[in-house]
Structure formats: structure tokens, C-alpha cells
Amino acid sequence: VLSVRPSPLVDLASVSTVLALPLAVALAVLRYRLYAIDRLISRTVAWALLTAALVGVYLAMVGLLQRLLAPLTGESDLAVAGATLVVAAVFTPLRRHVQAGVDRRFNRSRYDAERIVAGFRDRLRDEVDLDDLRTDLLATVGATVQPTGTSLWLREERR
């Protein structure tokens, strides 16, 4: 058997190409001000964790249902169908839970904004004074959206 060993130059080119990729990404982020890449990373981490969790649940359910249903169904694909239904039912709540955890860790401003708006919503139910409501609304908008300025226009009541 004849084996061909690449030259050291080819090895050097391969290694430098692999090492250049992270450097190129870092340069692109800095040069083009891609600072919102944290959202991309957040979503990637969330979907990777979600996919791993769902695959684990699916494989565990298939194995468990095959063992439990083997005496009743024999070689039927009922266990696979049942596991698929369980994973489909678990997907949305699990996705919400994983996304909330990832947002808490990687996208803190979004998580904090959601908490502030939820607190405003809870206070809004009991608020009757229009001046207090106006102040609270402007404070909530300022804390969540962080605009350069805020104002609130209220229509005059017609009599």
C-alpha cells in the first residue's frame, strides 16, 4: 500500500486556516460593529441545549416505551410513535424554559426589561392616580427602552 504524506507546508497551511477562522470572526465583529452578536450566541446556545434535551427525552422515551410495551405489541413501532408524541407535547414548554434560562445568562437586558414590564403591569392593576401612573409609565419606558427622551401626551377629556 502506497501512502502519501503531505508536505509540512500543507500541514502549516491547514493549521493556519483553522486558527484564522476565529480571528477573522473577531475582526469582523470589531470592524463592522457587530456587537449584537450576543443575541446570535444566545439563540445558538438555547437551540443547542433544547435540541440536546429533546433528543435525550426522545431516546429515553423510546427505550422506556419499548420495554414497557414489548409484551403487548411485540415488534410494533408503537413505542416510537408514542415517544414522538411525548416529545412534541414537551417541546414548547421546554423551549420556553431553556430560552428564559439562556436569556437570563446571555441576554440580561431583555430579561431585566421583561421583569420591569411585568412589575409595571402588576402595579397598573391597582393604580388610580393619573399622575402616579404617568410617572410610573415614563420610568418603565426609560428603564426598558432607554430612549434619549420621553414624553406622554394625554388627550383632554371632552365635556
Side-chain angles (χ1 to χ4, degrees), residues 44-82:
T44 303
V45 169
W47 283 102
L49 290 174
L50 181 64
T51 301
L54 288 176
V55 166
V57 167
Y58 179 74
L59 293 175
M61 290 304 297
V62 167
L64 180 68
L65 289 175
Q66 280 180 342
R67 287 188 182 188
L68 291 176
L69 298 176
L72 300 173
T73 62
E75 294 296 319
S76 174
D77 289 334
L78 188 60
V80 174

Side-chain angles (χ1 to χ4, degrees), residues 11 30 44 52 65 77 83 103 114 126 138 141 157-158:
D11 286 341
L30 293 174
T44 303
L65 289 175
D77 289 334
D103 282 345
E114 288 175 357
D126 301 327
L138 291 175
V141 168
E157 188 175 319
R158 293 184 186 176

